Amino acid sequence: MRTVVERERKFECPADFQVPDLLGDGIAALGDPVVIKLDATYYDTPRLRLTRGALALRRRTGGADQGWHLKVGAAGGARTEHQRALTRGRQPPADLMRLVRGASRGEPVEPVARVETRRREWQLRDADGVVLASLADDAVVGHDLVDGGRTAWHEIEVELVDGDEEVLDEVERRLRAAGAVPGSPAKIRRVLDDRLRDLTAIDAGAATPVFAYAAATRDSLVAHEPAARAGDVDGVHDMRVAVRRLRSTFRSFRALWDQDRIEGVRAELKWLGEQLGGVRDAQVMGPRLARAVRLEPDDLVLGPVAADLAEHFAADESAALTRLRRALSSPRYVELLSTLDDVVEAPPATEVGPRWVNKRIHRAVRRADGLLDTALERQSDGGVGDDDPALHEARKAYKRGRYAVEVRQRSGDKGAKRLVRGLKGLQDLLGDHQDSVITRQVLRDLGERAYARRANAFTYGVLYAEQAAHGRSLVAKLPAAQAKARRRKSRRWLR
């Protein structure tokens, strides 16, 4: 199986759209257009779980990369594509199915759509003949294989080859001037649009924004699973954030669900978060300390500190990634996703009024404010160090508060958007502080291990002292960040 990362931009355009002159600003030549006929059959579960999770599994003929493809991520931007050669049969290859086992909830997949594309493709070259990007002018016809629907449209795709983002920027400028509109959904989403709307429609009364936010977060969790399984740094981080958002939502708005059931779901999400956290911690801590060692003067680095750190965190990451892959391949994970489906797609356990959601958001934010006030008072009294656990509790509370506000932000509320920015700034500062606390703990452990084997532990002490100073500087910045996050303009809507 081959894996590639696509960096592309997509545009909608009318049927009579003409590709404009693209020469200039580094693009020296366009090869003659090549006409290609592509025929793709897309596979999904009856409830379109893959498509809803931003996954596209297809068998495509025509073109240089014909075969089985699993695309991961939304259309446009960077997408990962897992490619497999064509097989004689019509059933997806087992290795691709393993990557979507969680997303499919373990259910079999079947053909759900067919997309036929007549593509005219140009290669955009520089003066040395290097292919910077390819531009595809697509006339598309899509067929829903379940309800028989048919739709046709015209779109442009520009994909980087050996160029950079500046090439995409310049091509986009010229396409827009010619009438193309940036942003076009993935072909499979366009074909199945009506069915997707029916399957994802949520009507929970005043609680609809909460359920819609939870459903979107669940889909985000699923979408990032293949990247997390591969150990991709961003994939692990984004999947972990989705887990945290769900746990926080089920806590802040817990009256909307059966209490026993939702606490069970939160416990299972905590288990999944721990598997992701082990990988994430090693991926973050290793590079951070490696950089810290590089910045030290040579006379303060005694012994093979950099090599020891690299070996330690590589072993930690490898072991944690093995545990994560085992978890993502387990029936427990599939059962968790199925339970999440039931929870976010069922009617609320309690009917609530129009002000109920805002009250819970306000409560979550005010609770975080109170915890930070207490933590800063303890700091001003001088009775605790900057590693006071009260700061960590305030950080967790602000994270919950921010996620609660995001429920309103997702509905397009500008006040909520401003408040999210303010809370994120404060949360990031508290997060950096907690990172310094954890880093000190790790450095102390590593220093003790070095001392135990009679190695020189001096550099670990130097790094520890610098992290302690960094932690104190972060605490000193908290009052200003706190004031910014509490501006009346961003909180007025909460009253």
Side-chain angles (χ1 to χ4, degrees):
M1 182 168 57
R2 177 170 174 258
T3 301
V4 299
V5 177
E6 295 180 337
R7 292 178 297 163
E8 65 176 22
R9 295 185 192 177
K10 298 186 68 175
F11 304 85
E12 294 192 17
C13 46
D16 59 352
F17 181 82
Q18 297 294 317
V19 175
D21 180 13
L22 299 175
L23 298 182
D25 293 305
I27 302 174
L30 272 68
D32 293 332
V34 177
V35 178
I36 308 169
K37 291 185 178 180
L38 307 173
D39 192 338
T41 299
Y42 287 80
Y43 290 71
D44 208 333
T45 67
R47 292 187 62 79
L48 306 182
R49 292 296 183 190
L50 303 190
T51 307
R52 292 161 68 177
L55 306 175
L57 177 61
R58 72 186 181 194
R59 182 185 188 275
R60 191 173 77 178
T61 58
D65 64 344
Q66 69 175 359
W68 288 94
H69 304 153
L70 173 63
K71 285 178 172 281
V72 180
R79 303 179 75 190
T80 300
E81 182 175 299
H82 305 278
Q83 301 176 347
R84 186 81 153 70
L86 279 179
T87 56
R88 289 185 179 181
R90 293 280 176 166
Q91 287 302 309
D95 49 359
L96 290 184
M97 286 304 299
R98 280 194 292 271
L99 293 178
V100 300
R101 184 171 182 270
S104 68
R105 316 311 194 252
E107 299 176 6
V109 298
E110 59 189 23
V112 295
R114 182 184 180 193
V115 175
E116 299 172 283
T117 305
R118 183 182 184 277
R119 169 170 291 180
R120 288 193 305 155
E121 187 172 79
W122 289 265
Q123 291 185 335
L124 283 56
R125 299 177 180 271
D126 67 10
D128 297 323
V130 175
V131 179
L132 303 174
S134 64
L135 184 145
D137 183 351
D138 290 347
V140 190
V141 179
H143 309 269
D144 188 321
L145 298 180
V146 175
D147 68 10
R150 179 185 182 278
T151 183
W153 70 95
H154 188 195
E155 67 181 28
I156 300 287
E157 292 183 7
V158 186
E159 182 177 348
L160 282 183
V161 180
D162 290 320
D164 54 27
E165 292 292 326
E166 292 182 0
V167 173
L168 291 182
D169 290 341
E170 179 57 28
V171 173
E172 176 174 336
R173 184 183 69 79
R174 298 191 182 208
L175 290 174
R176 294 180 69 167
V181 179
S184 180
K187 291 180 174 66
I188 181 64
R189 296 194 71 90
R190 190 187 289 265
V191 176
L192 301 177
D193 184 61
D194 289 341
R195 279 207 284 151
L196 285 169
R197 288 176 184 273
D198 291 340
L199 288 168
T200 58
I202 293 176
D203 183 7
T208 295
V210 179
F211 279 77
Y213 179 78
T217 306
R218 173 210 54 194
D219 292 343
S220 176
L221 184 153
V222 172
H224 291 109
E225 181 205 321
R229 186 187 290 271
D232 177 77
V233 173
D234 291 334
V236 172
H237 171 68
D238 291 340
M239 191 175 184
R240 189 186 188 195
V241 169
V243 168
R244 288 175 168 173
R245 280 191 167 103
L246 285 168
R247 292 193 75 229
S248 177
T249 302
F250 293 147
R251 174 172 175 170
S252 297
F253 305 97
R254 54 185 173 272
L256 295 174
W257 295 279
D258 175 82
Q259 292 303 292
D260 291 338
R261 188 173 200 194
I262 209 63
E263 286 308 310
V265 172
R266 293 188 74 246
E268 288 300 278
L269 285 168
K270 181 180 180 182
W271 160 76
L272 179 57
E274 288 169 350
Q275 314 310 308
L276 291 158
V279 181
R280 177 66 180 169
D281 291 346
Q283 289 177 334
V284 171
M285 192 73 67
R288 176 184 293 132
L289 288 178
R291 181 175 183 274
V293 172
R294 288 197 302 271
L295 293 176
E296 291 294 339
D298 291 343
D299 60 341
L300 295 184
V301 181
L302 305 183
V305 179
D308 288 348
L309 287 173
E311 181 180 356
H312 173 81
F313 287 109
D316 276 4
E317 182 180 353
S318 177
L321 186 56
T322 296
R323 292 192 296 271
L324 174 61
R325 286 170 175 159
R326 189 180 300 124
L328 295 178
S329 299
S330 69
R332 184 176 181 179
Y333 173 64
V334 174
E335 184 177 351
L336 168 58
L337 293 182
S338 297
T339 304
L340 281 174
D341 295 339
D342 293 341
V343 165
V344 304
E345 294 173 11
T350 304
E351 290 188 14
V352 297
R355 295 184 180 180
W356 187 90
V357 172
N358 268 13
K359 286 183 178 180
R360 268 61 194 173
I361 297 173
H362 183 266
R363 180 182 297 174
V365 174
R366 292 300 300 165
R367 181 176 183 275
D369 289 342
L371 287 173
L372 182 58
D373 288 342
T374 299
L376 292 180
E377 286 175 9
R378 287 160 60 90
Q379 289 293 315
S380 63
D381 290 343
V384 294
D386 75 277
D387 58 349
D388 183 9
L391 289 168
H392 180 43
E393 292 303 313
R395 180 189 73 89
K396 292 192 293 185
Y398 270 116
K399 190 171 291 187
R400 287 191 292 269
R402 172 192 158 197
Y403 294 155
V405 177
E406 284 178 351
V407 169
R408 281 287 300 269
Q409 181 192 19
R410 192 172 183 276
S411 302
D413 191 299
K414 293 183 179 180
K417 184 176 181 179
R418 283 193 294 267
L419 182 53
V420 164
R421 284 200 300 267
L423 294 180
K424 186 178 186 304
L426 187 54
Q427 174 198 321
D428 287 348
L429 193 60
L430 286 164
D432 288 344
H433 174 266
Q434 180 61 16
D435 287 344
S436 78
V437 173
I438 295 174
T439 303
R440 277 175 264 170
Q441 294 171 350
V442 171
L443 287 168
R444 177 168 180 157
D445 290 343
L446 293 174
E448 289 178 349
R449 292 181 191 179
Y451 179 78
R453 65 175 186 269
R454 299 181 181 277
N456 196 317
F458 173 80
T459 304
Y460 292 106
V462 171
L463 296 173
Y464 183 100
E466 290 175 349
Q467 284 296 319
H470 180 55
R472 290 191 294 272
S473 71
L474 292 169
V475 170
K477 296 177 181 178
L478 283 173
Q482 180 188 48
K484 185 176 181 180
R486 295 186 182 183
R487 288 175 177 170
R488 290 185 179 180
K489 186 177 181 180
S490 63
R491 294 195 176 203
R492 190 178 299 120
W493 63 274
L494 273 177
R495 298 174 186 172

